[in-house]
Amino acid sequence: MQNRMMITGAGSGLGREIALRWAREGWQLALSDVSEPGLQDTLKRVREAGGDGFVQRCDVRDYSQLTAFAQACEVKLGGIDVIVNNAGVASGGFFAELSLEDWDWQIAINLMGVVKGCKAFLPLLEKSKGRIINIASMAALMQSPAMSNYNVAKAGVVALSESLLVELKQQEVGVHVVCPSFFQTNLLDSFRGPTPAMKAQVGKLLESSPISAADIADYIYQRVAAGEFMILPHEQGRMAWALKQKNPQLLYDEMTTMADKMRAKAQAVKG
């Protein structure tokens, strides 16, 4: 380990906080995002925090941009030790309202972006015997109503991570998957959904969270160091996951009630 990390979606939110947490340990950071101003701001903060590195604009939907980013890591840092596939977008809406374009957009970024990140960087990780950290969501495990395309994309990230965990053991490449619940972030900036009411509901959940992106980044740092595979930063998330494993039907019933309430609320807004 030479302390070199790559992060997608590093221009804001959790990606930025992960960069800052590892920067405080003196790491070299390769930062990518679609927002160049965001990246420059993150790099400035990384240097202030005691780290260093470089930035490169990268859209995770484009595999050639990810392979070019991997080459840049090899040239500028001599390789990579940890990759964080964090870039993601939010969406919501009941299944009947979601278009196939909504599905394509969500899967292309939140699932295939992670697949392509792993694929582009695997040769470097095999050399360094490094680690993969994939950012999924509690939505991957709990499947809340009115989020089917997001739920499916994030569940795919968990399934991919589980597959890589066993496949890459022999190559000594470590794998971790992170499933945060709602937290204070700018995820709403990327939100796409059929109704403004849905965006407002998600906004309330984000704002009411007792935990910040910086808290989550610190928790990830600790659990990765401890070698934990599935990292659940929220205590409520850990409790909900334990409940689902024990009594899934109870959780499905609760989610059904939640879906009914959301529909009623949406109807009331429509008048």
Side-chain angles (χ1 to χ4, degrees):
M1 278 272 178
Q2 288 184 41
N3 297 357
R4 302 159 301 186
M5 174 185 264
M6 173 286 268
I7 307 169
T8 64
S12 61
L14 183 58
R16 171 178 287 170
E17 293 301 339
I18 290 171
L20 294 178
R21 181 64 190 86
W22 266 263
R24 291 203 293 275
E25 309 300 322
W27 280 54
Q28 293 284 312
L29 296 150
L31 307 166
S32 80
D33 201 289
V34 288
S35 162
E36 294 198 50
L39 280 177
Q40 293 300 337
D41 192 15
T42 301
L43 183 61
K44 181 173 159 282
R45 295 181 194 211
V46 156
R47 286 175 172 151
E48 286 165 2
D52 201 1
F54 72 96
V55 300
Q56 187 157 318
R57 190 188 181 280
C58 181
D59 184 334
V60 296
R61 290 173 291 186
D62 184 343
Y63 185 61
S64 67
Q65 290 185 32
L66 280 159
T67 53
F69 187 34
Q71 284 168 346
C73 289
E74 196 160 23
V75 170
K76 295 180 182 187
L77 305 178
I80 211 80
D81 301 292
V82 179
I83 67 165
V84 183
N85 289 303
N86 164 74
V89 288
S91 65
F94 284 103
F95 180 76
E97 304 164 334
L98 292 170
S99 67
L100 289 178
E101 287 75 22
D102 291 332
W103 276 89
D104 289 342
W105 176 75
Q106 181 58 238
I107 299 287
I109 299 169
N110 281 6
L111 176 55
M112 290 310 297
V114 177
V115 171
K116 290 170 183 175
C118 290
K119 191 89 178 154
F121 280 83
L122 187 57
L124 293 181
L125 291 170
E126 286 179 333
K127 277 185 204 163
S128 66
K129 303 203 184 309
R131 294 173 186 269
I132 294 168
I133 303 173
N134 290 331
I135 307 297
S137 165
M138 279 308 293
L141 308 176
M142 310 311 290
Q143 289 85 44
S144 295
M147 290 170 60
S148 57
N149 58 346
Y150 186 79
N151 294 341
V152 168
K154 291 298 191 176
V157 173
V158 171
L160 170 69
S161 304
E162 289 176 333
S163 303
L164 295 177
L165 175 71
V166 294
E167 284 190 29
L168 299 178
K169 193 89 168 170
Q170 208 175 6
Q171 282 83 2
E172 296 177 65
V173 174
V175 180
H176 310 268
V177 65
V178 184
C179 295
S181 306
F182 288 107
F183 61 94
Q184 296 150 22
T185 180
N186 62 337
L187 196 61
L188 268 197
D189 295 352
S190 70
F191 186 90
R192 188 186 286 193
T195 63
M198 193 64 68
K199 183 170 182 174
Q201 282 184 17
V202 173
K204 275 184 193 160
L205 286 166
L206 293 173
E207 281 167 24
S208 65
S209 170
I211 190 168
S212 69
D215 297 329
I216 291 173
D218 191 54
Y219 188 85
I220 294 168
Y221 183 85
Q222 292 167 29
R223 302 325 296 165
V224 165
E228 196 169 285
F229 166 66
M230 188 178 281
I231 299 171
L232 309 180
H234 289 72
E235 192 180 350
Q236 274 184 311
R238 296 192 287 275
M239 284 159 59
W241 179 227
L243 170 69
K244 185 176 180 181
Q245 288 172 299
K246 204 197 265 176
N247 189 349
Q249 190 58 49
L250 193 67
L251 198 89
Y252 300 146
D253 293 344
E254 206 174 297
M255 292 294 186
T256 305
T257 305
M258 193 195 291
D260 292 342
K261 281 182 184 166
M262 287 168 89
R263 272 207 187 86
K265 216 175 211 178
Q267 284 302 115
V269 170
K270 277 181 193 168

